[in-house]
Amino acid sequence: MTAEEYDRILQRLGREPSYTELGLFSALWSEHCAYKHSKVFLKRLPQTGPHVLQGPGENAGALDIGDGWAVVFKIESHNHPSFIEPFQGAATGVGGILRDIFTMGARPIAILDSLRFGDPNDPKTRHLIHGVVSGISWYGNCFGCPTVGGEIAFAPEYAGNPLVNVMCVGLVRADRIFRARAEGVGNPVFYVGNKTGRDGIHGATMASATFDEGAEAKRPTVQVGDPFTEKLLLEACLEAMATGAVVGIQDMGAAGLACCTSEMPARSGTGMTVELASVPQREEGMSAYELLLSESQERMLIVAERGREEELRRVFAKWELDAVQIGEVTAGPDLTVRHRGDEVARVPVDALAEAPKYEKPYAAPAWLKELRAFDPLALPAPADYDEALRALMGAPALASKEWAYRQYDQQVGVNTLVLPGSDATVLRVKGTRRAIAVSTDGNGRHVFLDPRRGAAMAVCEAARNVSCAGGRPLGVTDCLNFGSPERPEILWQLAEAVEGLAEACRALELPVVGGNVSLYNETSGLAILPTPVVGVVGLLEDASQLATQWFKAAGHRIALLGPDAVSLGGSEYLWTRHGKQGGALAPLDLELERRVQAAVRAAIGEGLVTAAHDCAEGGIAVALAEACVTGKTAIGCEAALPAGMRADLTLFGEGPSRVVVSVEGGRAREFEALMAESAIPWQWIGATGGARLRLRVGGEMVVDVSVDHLEHAWRNGFERHMA
Amino acid sequence: MKVRVLVRLKPGILDVQGAAVQRALGGLGFGDVRELRVGKLIEVEVDAPTAERARARVDEMCRRLLANTILEDYTIETDSAEHLAPPGAVR
Amino acid sequence: MKVRVLVRLKPGILDVQGAAVQRALGGLGFGDVRELRVGKLIEVEVDAPTAERARARVDEMCRRLLANTILEDYTIETDSAEHLAPPGAVR
Amino acid sequence: MRFGVVVFPGTWSDCDFHYVISEVVKQPVKYVWHRDRNLADLDCVVLPGGFSYGDYLRAGAVAGRSPVVEALPEFLAGGGLVLGSCNGFQILCEAGLLPGALMRNECLQYRCQSTSLLVENVDTPFTRALRPGQVLTMPISHGEGKYHAEPETLRALRQRHQVVFRYATAAGQVTRAANPNGSAENIAGIINEEGTVLGLMPHPERAAESAIGGTDGLQIFHSLLGSLVEDGTFTKR
Ligand SMILES: Nc1ncnc2c1ncn2[C@@H]1O[C@H](COP(=O)(O)OP(=O)(O)O)[C@@H](O)[C@H]1O
Ligand SMILES: [Mg+2]
């Protein structure tokens, strides 16, 4: 806490704060809880739309998906805890986001994990990957929510600060959404769930600091997850909500009890009094400070309707969980905290909730110009394109992530219509004909080179993935992972990236209904690549009209939809083959992006395509190769790609708004008519069949490789590092 | 030389396993369990000339791999034969 | 009364985890590990008037729940104070 | 046929079984709470997958000593049938209602993947609609599914044809590579001597609709009902 912030507290209270009060302020005014540096930017994101039932400001956002149902979803980071203790850090990250979803009254139906690590060749990184993946697996599997998607990417910048972002999606009746409110003066305040221990004290403040040599000293704050208790908490909370006795509910996440007891009344214009001695405790002799700031997991605060306490107690007793009244809602304006009768804190709730906001100076880094001016075509073209493609398919970033997701239950709930391994995962909504499609994306390398366009591209790509599955993107959640905002160039990255997100979301009519900001992601002065991770949820009105990314049979025609413009700047090829990170990104035309996605969805909706796959990292060559090898049985294809550029640029260049589809010969005319109507650039490029992938550029056969070889490289490229 | 390592969660760290087992025992009529904690038992046979050397070596293993010192404490025992793995233990 | 239970895989049952740990140690330069087995350590505090009674009680817990005797053997130790949970261990 | 789906606090396949039995198989089904001992009005009790009581000690250990499981012998004596899948199989072994035990997967990781199962015994109420040698596709999802039993037990299981399913290749070859968890003799599912209790690690309820993992899992219900699957709907035989 800065001296100015302390002065502000003096002013607000009109006196010196007590030790406990100071603790409250320092946690709630931390970057993690208060968004001191990012709030000014977040305001720029579009947050409204016809489907929005709940925008930012609650535990999670909610969108109407029709038939009386809503999806509740959000993404959160657990980067710092996962670096200190990968298994428990990632596990408790899953636990936290699950609670954000079920506090809204929704049953979680899907988890997605978006991960970033250093080089998997490095044993330390491997250890982190093992720990993080098994932590996610342990918590999600035991809890009983399928983990159905996500990403794993690698760059040296993440070696000292991996990213663990977890998104969760839940389903709720649209008229049964619960909120984190403390309404009704005199209503009792209940503490439910696990007992409080000393774990995680200072978690919020830790997440607001960079790592340095002193990181070791912060270690005892590690929290431990208990997925079984979380499952009990889920069932008990949903059951309690169904009684009608619950007025408001919030999970105790960062800054624990302090956060709930101030945020809930602040949202409702009320106050609250609590007696800490009533808090169920796991350890002896805990101080008021510790009880308020502990981040013990699997706990919630519930405001109940007065007179219905017994109903609540009965439900929690059935699930063998503590449910203890610790206070009540008051007229405000204060949060009054007592400990064994003594008043230990009395602070206006809005003073806690209204942290100072900063508008610090920012500026583009001087080195960026030079980096962007780098011309990838100054590097030699490969002599052997077969080998170049095989290497790319086997690069850890592009290779199959089955090693990770086969450790995750992907099916519990029997909703998963498309399992992990396609552009987006599709889950049905039982009792309706509907399904939702979900995907997360974010390419730190792109954002590093061009924060605005790179971030916009992340929105486009996540949405495009959803469109390729046949889903109409409805809304976005984002996790902004950046370095220290106290450095002008990092703050510039953040400002630009948010601008890019906002532009893309506006163009694609996607409201941002929730998200998370994780700053100070750096170790010893080395910041991570700026990494906004975007999660998109889309709707299929008819679940049977879905598409997957792999070719289904021989003899189908292949079309490329979208522009020809691509670039090797910031491409996976440039990194994998040349170890370089530079150049300019391909142009992005958001209006064209929108039309291409609409065209893909229309074609899927008409049943015209047998596969649809987004062209992303690795360019069209990798997109085609993936369509060949990611299905149950590999199928080859032959394609002729537009000439006019160097072959490596044509094959491996990356650019937005491009989708490959396959079409049965008999439907080609209909498809052509639909594309003409869609007014997008497109072309037939080849046909499926055979056991080889054969690609011509400008008439010359540059790639001619057996799909078995490609499949082998792709299947083992990541797993071989992990064995 | 046989050495036994006992790995326990650090004081203050939630022992979810222990709590669950204690609850289960209570349900089975073992209400007389006041506290229960679950840890790991690692039995190592090392080539070492003396018990001292063996212990030092295993201590190094604990710090490098066997214990997760962020969450766990460990103790090493070499004292008496009776604590060692039962004869016939094979892998 | 504090009692310690050591639960080990029966002789003859492949200890995959032990083997994996041993392999990992080998990779870290601990080639001197001849054998390594991983088991469970359960530390129980029971209300019992004598060590004998405590032991009998815990033995019953083992048979009822703590060990699966198809897979595991267990030994119960109450002998000396030095083997017990470190002071301050709480859940 | 009246089904009861047992719910432990940490069970998660309960809803899936309930859904498949009521919506796909279209049979009467109700949930049975883990503290319930009254199974009188049921014909078949299903112990579904999940982490019954957290399963932090050993999978199924605590549930194997729970009230509802203690009521099973009497239920069986009265002519009832018990189907345990995944955690249900673990619980049945822990309870001693099936021989052997399930240990941590040999790969030391959780595994969720599709498996092929060779059907070895079609002379059970759970498999009578199948052909011997038939290969079914069903997913697994578990961290502790490596079947273990003493050599004499394994011999007895073989002699009495108690092994119902083995992990195999798609062509029905029982190979090491087809074994996802290191189970003894690739055992994926066994039945008790009386032929009334079936335990299997795979999830039949996740293979009961063509849109979700195929319909091979339905064959178990189809056998139980003595009915045939035609066009995805059940018709009484
Ligand atoms: N990057 C973002 N984009 C949109 N909304 C955001 C973003 N970051 C945070 N929010 C929203 O701000 C609110 C406060 O976030 P936060 O304090 O992280 O909630 P919680 O403590 O539940 O994680 C939430 O509603 C969240 O959705
Ligand atoms: Mg929250």
Side-chain angles (χ1 to χ4, degrees):
Chain A
M1 177 167 304
T2 64
E4 295 91 83
E5 285 173 357
Y6 188 79
D7 284 344
R8 212 173 143 138
I9 296 172
L10 287 183
Q11 227 175 30
R12 207 60 177 78
L13 295 183
R15 61 177 165 83
E16 294 274 336
S18 70
Y19 175 70
T20 306
E21 288 168 337
L22 198 57
L24 285 175
F25 278 106
S26 82
L28 292 169
W29 285 12
S30 69
E31 184 61 41
H32 185 72
C33 289
Y35 295 87
K36 286 189 282 201
H37 290 91
S38 54
K39 204 95 171 193
V40 297
F41 305 117
L42 294 180
K43 283 199 297 243
R44 315 188 74 104
L45 297 170
Q47 302 180 351
T48 54
H51 294 273
V52 176
L53 296 174
Q54 179 62 59
E58 282 288 337
N59 282 320
L63 296 175
D64 193 335
I65 57 163
D67 285 342
W69 287 101
V71 281
V72 170
F73 62 101
K74 185 168 177 211
I75 189 164
E76 281 230 336
S77 61
H78 233 214
N79 306 338
H80 290 77
S82 303
F83 183 53
I84 294 179
E85 210 314 280
F87 182 93
Q88 290 294 347
T92 51
V94 173
I97 190 65
L98 283 167
R99 283 193 298 286
D100 274 336
I101 300 311
F102 69 82
T103 46
M104 304 285 292
R107 183 173 284 275
I109 60 163
I111 296 167
L112 294 91
D113 58 329
S114 181
L115 313 177
R116 303 289 182 280
F117 297 102
D119 182 352
N121 268 315
D122 172 17
K124 249 183 152 157
T125 288
R126 274 206 299 275
H127 168 78
L128 287 171
I129 301 174
H130 270 285
V132 164
V133 169
S134 52
I136 292 170
S137 154
W138 177 65
Y139 204 103
N141 295 351
C142 182
F143 175 84
C145 181
T147 302
V148 299
E151 326 143 71
I152 309 182
F154 311 91
E157 289 84 351
Y158 301 114
N161 197 314
L163 301 186
V164 176
N165 290 184
V166 187
M167 172 173 167
C168 181
V169 185
L171 265 185
V172 61
R173 296 302 292 173
D175 57 358
R176 305 287 300 152
I177 295 175
F178 280 78
R179 293 188 169 79
R181 303 295 160 103
E183 264 139 35
V185 173
N187 275 338
V189 175
F190 275 86
Y191 170 113
V192 303
N194 251 344
K195 297 189 194 317
T196 297
R198 289 194 172 87
D199 27 317
I201 291 171
H202 293 155
T205 21
M206 178 179 80
S208 311
T210 61
F211 278 124
D212 44 38
E213 307 313 325
E216 302 269 325
K218 297 192 179 108
R219 280 181 167 174
T221 61
V222 169
Q223 311 147 18
V224 173
D226 181 356
F228 174 58
T229 297
E230 180 106 329
K231 166 75 161 64
L232 304 184
L233 198 56
L234 161 78
E235 301 295 349
C237 285
L238 294 187
E239 211 171 301
M241 289 167 176
T243 65
V246 174
V247 172
I249 175 168
Q250 178 164 346
D251 85 284
M252 292 187 224
L257 194 54
C259 183
C260 289
T261 51
S262 54
E263 283 187 6
M264 290 181 77
R267 286 195 191 95
S268 305
T270 53
M272 197 175 274
T273 71
V274 294
E275 169 51 77
L276 294 176
S278 309
V279 169
Q281 295 167 41
R282 203 176 75 221
E283 295 183 58
E284 275 163 33
M286 291 186 68
S287 68
Y289 178 94
E290 290 171 325
L291 286 164
L292 280 166
L293 295 178
S294 158
E295 292 185 3
S296 289
Q297 300 288 295
E298 293 92 19
R299 307 177 302 157
M300 301 263 196
L301 199 70
I302 292 182
V303 172
E305 214 169 285
R306 187 161 47 160
R308 303 185 66 176
E309 293 84 352
E310 264 327 293
E311 283 172 75
L312 209 66
R313 286 201 188 93
R314 238 192 333 267
V315 171
F316 283 88
K318 171 183 165 190
W319 294 97
E320 297 180 42
L321 290 173
D322 281 321
V324 180
Q325 185 179 342
I326 61 165
E328 64 177 46
V329 178
T330 65
D334 293 340
L335 165 66
T336 308
V337 183
R338 299 205 178 83
H339 194 205
R340 301 194 200 94
D342 297 338
E343 189 172 298
V344 292
R346 186 183 196 97
V347 187
V349 289
D350 53 2
L352 288 169
E354 280 161 22
K357 302 287 174 287
Y358 295 115
E359 293 195 39
K360 293 260 178 81
Y362 56 81
W367 40 259
L368 194 58
K369 234 189 179 137
E370 193 183 328
L371 210 58
R372 267 194 213 164
F374 172 77
D375 178 13
L377 293 179
L379 296 165
D384 180 348
Y385 280 95
D386 292 354
E387 181 43 41
L389 176 57
R390 204 158 45 209
L392 215 43
M393 287 295 280
L398 297 188
S400 168
K401 300 304 182 309
E402 191 179 341
W403 177 87
Y405 64 71
R406 74 179 174 218
Q407 299 182 51
Y408 304 150
D409 190 322
Q410 308 143 33
Q411 293 159 305
V412 59
V414 289
N415 296 319
T416 320
L417 299 174
V418 176
L419 294 166
S422 195
D423 277 339
T425 306
V426 182
L427 299 132
R428 68 176 170 188
V429 180
K430 285 201 204 89
T432 75
R433 300 178 62 205
R434 292 163 195 270
I436 59 163
V438 286
S439 175
T440 64
D441 259 294
N443 183 321
R445 204 164 278 139
H446 289 175
V447 181
F448 177 66
L449 292 175
D450 187 339
R452 184 178 298 215
R453 193 180 301 169
M457 282 168 144
V459 173
C460 293
E461 190 178 333
R464 203 181 314 124
N465 285 337
V466 164
S467 289
C468 284
R472 181 162 50 97
L474 290 187
V476 161
T477 179
D478 66 309
C479 192
L480 302 173
N481 305 277
F482 288 80
S484 166
E486 283 151 36
R487 292 200 279 143
E489 73 268 24
I490 303 278
L491 204 59
W492 176 81
Q493 290 176 332
L494 176 62
E496 284 288 295
V498 171
E499 204 49 58
L501 294 178
E503 281 171 11
C505 286
R506 273 195 301 270
L508 302 180
E509 293 172 58
L510 293 174
V512 178
V513 296
N516 183 238
V517 180
S518 173
L519 303 179
Y520 299 96
N521 288 291
E522 38 188 85
T523 299
S524 309
L526 178 66
I528 57 161
L529 294 176
T531 314
V533 173
V534 176
V536 167
V537 176
L539 175 68
L540 288 86
E541 257 145 42
D542 181 347
S544 68
Q545 290 175 350
L546 56 78
T548 48
Q549 71 175 34
W550 44 86
F551 294 142
K552 305 300 181 297
H556 293 186
R557 296 184 71 178
I558 302 171
L560 169 63
L561 316 189
D564 283 339
V566 290
S567 167
L568 288 176
S571 67
E572 184 60 37
Y573 166 80
L574 193 58
W575 175 255
T576 306
R577 187 170 183 88
H578 298 291
K580 290 232 170 357
Q581 182 162 269
L585 302 184
L588 169 65
D589 176 343
L590 287 166
E591 174 48 29
L592 178 57
E593 176 73 46
R594 197 184 57 74
R595 290 206 310 274
V596 168
Q597 290 191 30
V600 172
R601 291 196 302 272
I604 295 169
E606 299 286 316
L608 292 175
V609 309
T610 50
H613 187 27
D614 163 40
C615 294
E617 284 86 354
I620 191 165
V622 165
L624 288 169
E626 285 171 344
C628 290
V629 306
T630 54
K632 251 207 184 95
T633 38
I635 294 175
C637 79
E638 185 156 350
L641 301 170
M645 303 186 281
R646 210 167 84 176
D648 54 349
L649 176 56
T650 301
L651 292 171
F652 308 123
E654 297 173 13
S657 322
R658 287 153 57 90
V659 173
V660 169
V661 300
S662 63
V663 179
E664 273 177 278
R667 313 288 307 266
R669 290 287 158 270
E670 279 171 85
F671 180 80
E672 286 169 2
L674 181 68
M675 287 305 112
E677 227 173 274
S678 305
I680 57 161
W682 77 281
Q683 58 209 299
W684 292 116
I685 56 169
T688 62
R692 303 183 73 77
L693 173 66
R694 294 152 64 94
L695 300 175
R696 273 175 228 279
V697 176
E700 191 192 339
M701 185 76 76
V702 286
V703 172
D704 185 350
V705 56
S706 114
V707 287
D708 284 349
H709 271 102
L710 292 176
E711 180 173 355
H712 183 81
W714 175 76
R715 285 206 186 281
N716 298 296
F718 172 52
E719 185 166 350
R720 73 193 162 89
H721 294 285
M722 302 312 299
Chain B
M1 186 72 61
K2 286 193 177 186
V3 180
R4 182 201 273 181
V5 183
L6 303 180
V7 182
R8 304 178 177 94
L9 283 176
K10 280 188 200 264
I13 292 198
L14 175 69
D15 179 8
V16 292
Q17 225 183 333
V21 173
Q22 185 172 348
R23 213 171 325 138
L25 284 172
L28 291 175
F30 295 100
D32 46 348
V33 174
R34 281 238 300 268
E35 186 177 358
L36 187 149
R37 288 177 71 83
V38 179
K40 259 184 289 189
L41 162 70
I42 304 174
E43 290 172 309
V44 198
E45 176 144 12
V46 275
D47 284 332
T50 66
E52 263 328 282
R53 289 277 306 150
R55 178 189 279 273
R57 196 73 183 141
V58 171
D59 187 63
E60 207 181 323
M61 294 176 201
C62 286
R63 280 180 288 114
R64 296 280 305 275
L65 183 74
L66 300 182
N68 178 349
T69 51
I70 297 161
L71 297 169
E72 297 166 332
D73 288 329
Y74 61 90
T75 53
I76 299 175
E77 295 178 1
T78 44
D79 37 11
S80 73
E82 129 212 32
H83 293 127
L84 305 178
V90 290
R91 192 182 45 255
Chain C
M1 187 72 61
K2 288 195 175 182
V3 181
R4 182 200 274 181
V5 182
L6 303 179
V7 182
R8 305 177 176 94
L9 280 179
K10 279 191 196 257
I13 294 189
L14 180 71
D15 177 8
V16 190
Q17 202 188 349
V21 173
Q22 185 172 349
R23 224 174 11 246
L25 283 173
L28 291 175
F30 295 100
D32 44 349
V33 174
R34 281 239 297 270
E35 186 177 358
L36 187 148
R37 287 175 75 81
V38 179
K40 269 183 269 199
L41 162 70
I42 305 176
E43 289 171 308
V44 199
E45 176 143 13
V46 277
D47 283 332
T50 65
E52 264 327 283
R53 288 277 306 148
R55 181 188 277 273
R57 196 72 182 140
V58 172
D59 188 61
E60 209 182 323
M61 294 176 204
C62 287
R63 278 180 290 113
R64 292 283 305 282
L65 182 71
L66 301 182
N68 179 337
T69 51
I70 296 175
L71 300 172
E72 297 163 329
D73 288 330
Y74 61 90
T75 53
I76 300 176
E77 296 177 1
T78 43
D79 38 11
S80 74
E82 130 213 32
H83 291 125
L84 305 179
V90 286
R91 191 184 43 258
Chain D
M1 187 162 208
R2 292 159 307 171
F3 286 86
V5 175
V6 175
V7 183
F8 297 96
T11 303
W12 36 240
S13 287
D14 46 349
C15 304
D16 300 355
F17 267 105
H18 193 283
Y19 174 81
V20 166
I21 295 168
S22 79
E23 302 303 313
V24 183
V25 186
K26 302 211 183 296
Q27 292 295 306
V29 54
K30 67 168 195 176
Y31 289 115
V32 179
W33 188 237
H34 62 115
R35 277 200 259 278
D36 216 340
R37 290 173 194 270
N38 181 6
L39 306 171
D41 56 346
L42 299 173
D43 301 307
C44 179
V45 167
V46 178
L47 293 167
F51 287 69
S52 41
Y53 291 102
D55 288 4
Y56 295 139
L57 179 69
R58 285 189 318 275
V62 183
R65 288 124 185 107
S66 62
V68 69
V69 170
E70 280 174 357
L72 288 179
E74 194 187 319
F75 171 72
L76 289 165
L81 296 172
V82 175
L83 168 64
S85 154
C86 190
N87 193 221
F89 186 14
Q90 295 162 339
I91 293 167
L92 290 168
C93 288
E94 280 283 344
L97 291 168
L98 289 173
L102 292 145
M103 322 173 45
R104 192 146 171 215
N105 293 349
E106 201 148 281
C107 58
L108 299 174
Q109 288 176 345
Y110 197 97
R111 276 286 184 277
C112 178
Q113 64 187 56
S114 178
T115 61
S116 299
L117 304 175
L118 177 69
V119 182
E120 293 219 332
N121 182 348
V122 297
D123 199 16
T124 84
F126 304 91
T127 53
R128 58 187 164 150
L130 298 166
R131 285 174 282 105
Q134 197 172 339
V135 177
L136 304 180
T137 303
M138 266 185 238
I140 56 164
S141 183
H142 59 247
E144 297 179 33
K146 175 184 175 180
Y147 184 76
H148 171 85
E150 298 294 311
E152 316 84 76
T153 310
L154 289 173
R155 208 171 311 118
L157 285 174
R158 258 190 323 260
Q159 272 162 7
R160 300 192 198 108
H161 306 289
Q162 282 176 258
V163 177
V164 180
F165 301 114
R166 286 187 210 273
Y167 300 109
T169 63
Q173 243 70 53
V174 177
T175 64
R176 202 179 154 74
N179 187 340
N181 54 23
S183 282
E185 301 183 356
N186 283 41
I187 289 175
I190 56 170
I191 196 156
N192 63 347
E193 269 183 71
E194 296 75 20
T196 52
V197 179
L198 173 71
L200 77 167
M201 285 315 294
H203 285 265
E205 82 286 7
R206 296 185 184 186
E209 293 168 276
S210 47
I212 305 234
T215 54
D216 284 0
L218 269 191
Q219 312 271 4
I220 290 179
F221 294 99
H222 153 179
S223 299
L224 283 169
L225 297 174
S227 52
L228 282 171
V229 185
E230 282 169 15
D231 309 316
T233 57
F234 281 80
T235 17
K236 290 266 177 206
R237 202 184 259 160

